[in-house]
Short mmCIF file of all heavy atoms in Angstrom, two decimals:
data_model
loop_
_atom_site.label_atom_id
_atom_site.label_comp_id
_atom_site.label_asym_id
_atom_site.label_seq_id
_atom_site.Cartn_x
_atom_site.Cartn_y
_atom_site.Cartn_z
N LEU Q 1 131.40 91.74 38.46
CA LEU Q 1 130.78 90.93 39.50
C LEU Q 1 130.63 89.46 39.11
O LEU Q 1 130.17 88.66 39.92
CB LEU Q 1 129.41 91.50 39.86
CG LEU Q 1 129.37 92.97 40.28
CD1 LEU Q 1 127.96 93.38 40.68
CD2 LEU Q 1 130.34 93.24 41.41
N GLU Q 2 131.01 89.11 37.91
CA GLU Q 2 130.76 87.75 37.43
C GLU Q 2 131.54 86.70 38.20
O GLU Q 2 131.11 85.57 38.34
CB GLU Q 2 131.09 87.67 35.94
CG GLU Q 2 130.11 88.45 35.06
CD GLU Q 2 130.48 88.38 33.59
OE1 GLU Q 2 131.54 87.78 33.28
OE2 GLU Q 2 129.73 88.91 32.77
N HIS Q 3 132.70 87.07 38.73
CA HIS Q 3 133.55 86.09 39.42
C HIS Q 3 133.17 85.91 40.88
O HIS Q 3 133.74 85.06 41.57
CB HIS Q 3 135.01 86.54 39.34
CG HIS Q 3 135.30 87.79 40.15
ND1 HIS Q 3 134.89 89.04 39.75
CD2 HIS Q 3 135.94 87.96 41.35
CE1 HIS Q 3 135.27 89.94 40.65
NE2 HIS Q 3 135.92 89.30 41.63
N LEU Q 4 132.22 86.67 41.36
CA LEU Q 4 131.90 86.65 42.79
C LEU Q 4 131.07 85.42 43.14
O LEU Q 4 130.29 84.93 42.34
CB LEU Q 4 131.13 87.91 43.17
CG LEU Q 4 131.86 89.23 42.99
CD1 LEU Q 4 130.94 90.39 43.36
CD2 LEU Q 4 133.14 89.28 43.82
N PRO Q 5 131.21 84.94 44.39
CA PRO Q 5 130.34 83.83 44.84
C PRO Q 5 128.89 84.30 44.90
O PRO Q 5 128.60 85.50 44.91
CB PRO Q 5 130.87 83.53 46.25
CG PRO Q 5 132.20 84.20 46.34
CD PRO Q 5 132.17 85.36 45.41
N GLU Q 6 127.98 83.36 44.97
CA GLU Q 6 126.57 83.70 45.14
C GLU Q 6 126.36 84.37 46.50
O GLU Q 6 127.10 84.09 47.46
CB GLU Q 6 125.71 82.45 45.05
CG GLU Q 6 125.65 81.85 43.65
CD GLU Q 6 124.99 82.79 42.66
OE1 GLU Q 6 123.96 83.41 43.01
OE2 GLU Q 6 125.51 82.91 41.54
N ILE Q 7 125.36 85.21 46.59
CA ILE Q 7 125.09 85.88 47.85
C ILE Q 7 124.70 84.86 48.92
O ILE Q 7 124.30 83.73 48.61
CB ILE Q 7 123.98 86.94 47.71
CG1 ILE Q 7 122.65 86.30 47.31
CG2 ILE Q 7 124.38 88.01 46.72
CD1 ILE Q 7 121.47 87.24 47.39
N TRP Q 8 124.83 85.26 50.18
CA TRP Q 8 124.48 84.39 51.30
C TRP Q 8 123.05 83.91 51.13
O TRP Q 8 122.16 84.69 50.79
CB TRP Q 8 124.66 85.16 52.61
CG TRP Q 8 124.39 84.35 53.84
CD1 TRP Q 8 123.38 84.51 54.73
CD2 TRP Q 8 125.17 83.26 54.33
NE1 TRP Q 8 123.47 83.59 55.74
CE2 TRP Q 8 124.57 82.80 55.53
CE3 TRP Q 8 126.32 82.61 53.87
CZ2 TRP Q 8 125.07 81.74 56.26
CZ3 TRP Q 8 126.83 81.56 54.61
CH2 TRP Q 8 126.21 81.13 55.79
N HIS Q 9 122.83 82.63 51.39
CA HIS Q 9 121.57 81.98 51.03
C HIS Q 9 120.38 82.38 51.89
O HIS Q 9 119.24 82.26 51.46
CB HIS Q 9 121.75 80.46 51.11
CG HIS Q 9 122.10 79.99 52.50
ND1 HIS Q 9 123.40 80.00 52.98
CD2 HIS Q 9 121.33 79.51 53.51
CE1 HIS Q 9 123.41 79.53 54.21
NE2 HIS Q 9 122.17 79.24 54.56
N GLN Q 10 120.62 82.86 53.09
CA GLN Q 10 119.52 83.10 54.04
C GLN Q 10 119.08 84.55 54.05
O GLN Q 10 119.90 85.47 54.12
CB GLN Q 10 119.97 82.70 55.45
CG GLN Q 10 118.88 82.85 56.51
CD GLN Q 10 119.40 82.58 57.91
OE1 GLN Q 10 120.58 82.28 58.10
NE2 GLN Q 10 118.53 82.67 58.91
N ASN Q 11 117.76 84.76 54.00
CA ASN Q 11 117.21 86.09 54.21
C ASN Q 11 117.35 86.43 55.70
O ASN Q 11 116.91 85.68 56.56
CB ASN Q 11 115.74 86.13 53.81
CG ASN Q 11 115.13 87.52 53.90
OD1 ASN Q 11 115.28 88.19 54.90
ND2 ASN Q 11 114.44 87.93 52.85
N LEU Q 12 117.99 87.56 56.00
CA LEU Q 12 118.33 87.88 57.38
C LEU Q 12 117.44 88.95 58.01
O LEU Q 12 117.74 89.44 59.10
CB LEU Q 12 119.80 88.35 57.44
CG LEU Q 12 120.83 87.32 56.98
CD1 LEU Q 12 122.24 87.92 57.02
CD2 LEU Q 12 120.76 86.05 57.82
N ASP Q 13 116.35 89.28 57.34
CA ASP Q 13 115.47 90.33 57.87
C ASP Q 13 115.00 90.00 59.29
O ASP Q 13 115.08 90.85 60.20
CB ASP Q 13 114.25 90.53 56.96
CG ASP Q 13 114.62 91.16 55.63
OD1 ASP Q 13 115.76 91.64 55.50
OD2 ASP Q 13 113.76 91.17 54.72
N GLN Q 14 114.50 88.78 59.51
CA GLN Q 14 113.98 88.43 60.83
C GLN Q 14 115.08 88.32 61.89
O GLN Q 14 114.92 88.85 62.99
CB GLN Q 14 113.17 87.13 60.74
CG GLN Q 14 111.84 87.28 60.04
CD GLN Q 14 110.96 88.31 60.73
OE1 GLN Q 14 110.88 88.36 61.96
NE2 GLN Q 14 110.28 89.14 59.94
N PRO Q 15 116.21 87.64 61.60
CA PRO Q 15 117.27 87.60 62.61
C PRO Q 15 117.78 88.99 62.99
O PRO Q 15 118.06 89.26 64.16
CB PRO Q 15 118.37 86.76 61.93
CG PRO Q 15 117.64 85.91 60.95
CD PRO Q 15 116.50 86.73 60.46
N LEU Q 16 117.90 89.89 62.00
CA LEU Q 16 118.36 91.24 62.31
C LEU Q 16 117.34 92.00 63.15
O LEU Q 16 117.70 92.70 64.10
CB LEU Q 16 118.62 92.01 61.00
CG LEU Q 16 119.96 91.70 60.32
CD1 LEU Q 16 119.98 92.27 58.90
CD2 LEU Q 16 121.12 92.27 61.13
N HIS Q 17 116.07 91.83 62.82
CA HIS Q 17 115.02 92.49 63.60
C HIS Q 17 115.05 92.00 65.05
O HIS Q 17 114.94 92.81 65.99
CB HIS Q 17 113.65 92.20 62.97
CG HIS Q 17 112.51 92.86 63.67
ND1 HIS Q 17 112.13 94.16 63.41
CD2 HIS Q 17 111.66 92.40 64.63
CE1 HIS Q 17 111.10 94.47 64.18
NE2 HIS Q 17 110.79 93.42 64.92
N ALA Q 18 115.22 90.71 65.23
CA ALA Q 18 115.21 90.12 66.58
C ALA Q 18 116.42 90.54 67.40
O ALA Q 18 116.29 90.96 68.56
CB ALA Q 18 115.13 88.60 66.49
N ILE Q 19 117.61 90.46 66.80
CA ILE Q 19 118.82 90.74 67.57
C ILE Q 19 118.96 92.23 67.86
O ILE Q 19 119.50 92.62 68.89
CB ILE Q 19 120.07 90.20 66.85
CG1 ILE Q 19 121.24 90.05 67.85
CG2 ILE Q 19 120.47 91.08 65.66
CD1 ILE Q 19 122.41 89.28 67.29
N ALA Q 20 118.43 93.08 66.96
CA ALA Q 20 118.52 94.52 67.18
C ALA Q 20 117.67 94.95 68.38
O ALA Q 20 117.92 96.00 68.98
CB ALA Q 20 118.07 95.28 65.93
N ARG Q 21 116.68 94.14 68.74
CA ARG Q 21 115.80 94.46 69.85
C ARG Q 21 116.08 93.64 71.10
O ARG Q 21 115.49 93.87 72.15
CB ARG Q 21 114.34 94.27 69.41
CG ARG Q 21 113.87 95.42 68.54
CD ARG Q 21 112.85 95.01 67.51
NE ARG Q 21 112.49 96.16 66.69
CZ ARG Q 21 113.27 96.67 65.73
NH1 ARG Q 21 114.44 96.14 65.47
NH2 ARG Q 21 112.87 97.72 65.02
N GLN Q 22 117.00 92.70 70.98
CA GLN Q 22 117.25 91.77 72.08
C GLN Q 22 117.72 92.48 73.34
O GLN Q 22 117.27 92.17 74.44
CB GLN Q 22 118.29 90.73 71.64
CG GLN Q 22 118.61 89.69 72.68
CD GLN Q 22 119.57 88.63 72.14
OE1 GLN Q 22 119.68 88.43 70.93
NE2 GLN Q 22 120.26 87.97 73.04
N HIS Q 23 118.61 93.45 73.18
CA HIS Q 23 119.16 94.14 74.36
C HIS Q 23 118.55 95.52 74.55
O HIS Q 23 118.98 96.27 75.43
CB HIS Q 23 120.68 94.26 74.24
CG HIS Q 23 121.37 92.93 74.12
ND1 HIS Q 23 121.36 92.01 75.13
CD2 HIS Q 23 122.06 92.37 73.09
CE1 HIS Q 23 122.03 90.92 74.75
NE2 HIS Q 23 122.45 91.12 73.53
N ASN Q 24 117.60 95.87 73.70
CA ASN Q 24 116.89 97.15 73.81
C ASN Q 24 117.83 98.35 73.75
O ASN Q 24 117.56 99.40 74.36
CB ASN Q 24 116.07 97.20 75.11
CG ASN Q 24 115.00 98.29 75.06
OD1 ASN Q 24 114.42 98.56 74.01
ND2 ASN Q 24 114.74 98.90 76.20
N ARG Q 25 118.94 98.22 73.05
CA ARG Q 25 119.82 99.36 72.88
C ARG Q 25 119.24 100.31 71.83
O ARG Q 25 118.51 99.90 70.94
CB ARG Q 25 121.21 98.92 72.42
CG ARG Q 25 121.97 98.08 73.44
CD ARG Q 25 123.31 97.69 72.89
NE ARG Q 25 123.19 97.04 71.58
CZ ARG Q 25 124.22 96.67 70.82
NH1 ARG Q 25 125.45 96.92 71.24
NH2 ARG Q 25 124.03 96.09 69.67
N MET Q 26 119.58 101.57 71.93
CA MET Q 26 119.17 102.56 70.94
C MET Q 26 120.26 102.68 69.88
O MET Q 26 121.43 102.91 70.21
CB MET Q 26 118.93 103.92 71.59
CG MET Q 26 118.57 105.02 70.62
SD MET Q 26 116.98 104.78 69.79
CE MET Q 26 115.86 105.12 71.15
N VAL Q 27 119.89 102.48 68.62
CA VAL Q 27 120.82 102.72 67.52
C VAL Q 27 120.72 104.20 67.16
O VAL Q 27 119.65 104.67 66.75
CB VAL Q 27 120.50 101.85 66.30
CG1 VAL Q 27 121.48 102.15 65.17
CG2 VAL Q 27 120.55 100.37 66.67
N VAL Q 28 121.80 104.92 67.33
CA VAL Q 28 121.83 106.36 67.07
C VAL Q 28 122.59 106.61 65.77
O VAL Q 28 123.78 106.34 65.68
CB VAL Q 28 122.51 107.12 68.22
CG1 VAL Q 28 122.62 108.60 67.88
CG2 VAL Q 28 121.75 106.92 69.51
N VAL Q 29 121.88 107.10 64.76
CA VAL Q 29 122.49 107.40 63.47
C VAL Q 29 122.82 108.89 63.45
O VAL Q 29 121.92 109.73 63.44
CB VAL Q 29 121.55 107.05 62.30
CG1 VAL Q 29 122.24 107.33 60.97
CG2 VAL Q 29 121.13 105.58 62.38
N MET Q 30 124.11 109.20 63.49
CA MET Q 30 124.54 110.59 63.35
C MET Q 30 124.66 110.88 61.86
O MET Q 30 125.56 110.38 61.19
CB MET Q 30 125.89 110.81 64.05
CG MET Q 30 125.84 110.77 65.55
SD MET Q 30 127.45 111.21 66.26
CE MET Q 30 127.07 111.23 68.02
N ASP Q 31 123.74 111.68 61.36
CA ASP Q 31 123.62 111.86 59.91
C ASP Q 31 124.06 113.26 59.51
O ASP Q 31 123.58 114.26 60.05
CB ASP Q 31 122.16 111.64 59.50
CG ASP Q 31 122.00 111.42 58.02
OD1 ASP Q 31 123.00 111.56 57.28
OD2 ASP Q 31 120.89 111.12 57.59
N ASP Q 32 124.97 113.32 58.54
CA ASP Q 32 125.51 114.61 58.11
C ASP Q 32 124.52 115.39 57.25
O ASP Q 32 124.63 116.59 57.10
CB ASP Q 32 126.82 114.40 57.35
CG ASP Q 32 127.60 115.68 57.22
OD1 ASP Q 32 127.44 116.57 58.08
OD2 ASP Q 32 128.38 115.82 56.26
N THR Q 33 123.58 114.70 56.59
CA THR Q 33 122.59 115.38 55.77
C THR Q 33 121.21 114.79 56.05
O THR Q 33 121.08 113.72 56.64
CB THR Q 33 122.87 115.24 54.27
OG1 THR Q 33 122.69 113.88 53.87
CG2 THR Q 33 124.30 115.66 53.93
N LEU Q 34 120.19 115.46 55.57
CA LEU Q 34 118.83 115.01 55.83
C LEU Q 34 118.47 113.75 55.05
O LEU Q 34 117.56 113.03 55.43
CB LEU Q 34 117.82 116.12 55.49
CG LEU Q 34 117.85 117.37 56.35
CD1 LEU Q 34 118.94 118.32 55.89
CD2 LEU Q 34 116.51 118.09 56.30
#
């Protein structure tokens, strides 16, 4: 991993929280195990 660029500078927790609720869609996780 030494040659990799630095990770993206911005913490995306809030943008992800906001956009995931913007259209009120249901995220359905089909999970093969518990």
Side-chain angles (χ1 to χ4, degrees):
L1 305 183
E2 291 179 356
H3 68 287
L4 298 178
E6 291 296 318
I7 63 170
W8 183 247
H9 62 276
Q10 182 185 0
N11 185 311
L12 299 177
D13 290 348
Q14 288 301 318
L16 280 167
H17 182 84
I19 200 169
R21 283 148 182 76
Q22 182 175 338
H23 301 295
N24 198 35
R25 295 180 307 175
M26 177 66 73
V27 179
V28 176
V29 182
M30 290 186 175
D31 196 354
D32 196 26
T33 68
L34 293 82

